[in-house]
Amino acid sequence: MKTLKLLPFLAIIVLFSFTSCSTEAMEDEITTIEVPSTPQAKLIEIEIMELINEHRINLGLNALQNHDTVKAVALTHTNYMIEEAHVSHDYFFLRKETLQANASANVVTENVGYGFSSADGVVNAWLNSPSHRANIEGDHTDFDVSAEQNEEGKWYFTNMFIKR
């Protein structure tokens, strides 16, 4: 009788012994980020950065400086999300390591978004989310944003913040 009670528990152990977490599997696939050249800023990207800095200044926080390396790293993730057709923070640890090595970053955070058609729309969505707002209002020195459209014209966004 005791063996029958243990059967579900043993089944769970066996199941987890043979499956791997998708995050672990994905981490094995990509081990570095090659920093591309920095593209020229789009109007929507400039507007996003202006709105974020305006918000920070209204709170008495320092305005953030745009940073080419941050923009280039953000672009790699925006392109990845478009390729995957999925909004995510996949491989954040690699973007963080890249910015630590190439931009002297001590702190790295990011906001991502999808489908907004204006700078106001995406920034307001981030400000209405406690975790995204915390990134915007965080103790950072630099930031940048990548906004790219997929084949259907839908926008994907990666907004990264660093403290040097």
Side-chain angles (χ1 to χ4, degrees):
M1 189 67 173
K2 288 184 181 183
T3 307
L4 288 177
K5 289 182 181 180
L6 288 176
L7 210 53
F9 178 71
L10 291 173
I12 290 172
I13 290 174
V14 169
L15 177 66
F16 285 116
S17 297
F18 294 108
T19 60
S20 66
C21 177
S22 61
T23 302
E24 290 172 4
M26 287 181 359
E27 289 176 2
D28 291 340
E29 293 173 14
I30 298 175
T31 58
T32 62
I33 293 177
E34 196 168 311
V35 180
S37 61
T38 306
Q40 184 154 353
K42 296 174 188 67
L43 180 59
I44 193 168
E45 295 167 336
I46 293 167
E47 291 172 345
I48 290 169
M49 291 188 298
E50 288 174 348
L51 288 168
I52 289 172
N53 270 337
E54 181 180 310
H55 176 79
R56 289 178 61 86
I57 290 166
N58 287 338
L59 294 176
L61 300 170
N62 63 302
L64 302 175
Q65 300 299 311
N66 61 309
H67 194 289
D68 287 348
T69 304
V70 174
K71 181 173 188 54
V73 171
L75 174 62
T76 65
H77 188 59
T78 303
N79 287 338
Y80 168 81
M81 291 190 299
I82 290 171
E83 288 172 19
E84 295 294 315
H86 177 71
V87 178
S88 72
H89 293 283
D90 292 353
Y91 306 110
F92 174 73
F93 72 99
L94 290 175
R95 290 186 296 288
K96 180 179 179 180
E97 288 174 1
T98 300
L99 290 171
Q100 288 170 328
N102 296 289
S104 303
N106 295 313
V107 175
V108 179
T109 63
E110 76 179 9
N111 291 340
V112 295
Y114 163 76
F116 298 94
S117 59
S118 70
D120 284 324
V122 71
V123 171
N124 285 332
W126 287 334
L127 290 174
N128 287 319
S129 162
S131 60
H132 294 98
R133 175 186 282 268
N135 288 341
I136 289 171
E137 297 174 359
D139 183 18
H140 301 104
T141 55
D142 304 271
F143 74 148
D144 223 306
V145 64
S146 168
E148 298 293 329
Q149 291 177 293
N150 67 6
E151 291 178 356
E152 291 82 37
K154 299 285 185 181
W155 287 100
Y156 284 76
F157 305 90
T158 304
N159 183 203
M160 300 194 74
F161 304 85
I162 67 170
K163 180 177 182 177
R164 293 188 286 152

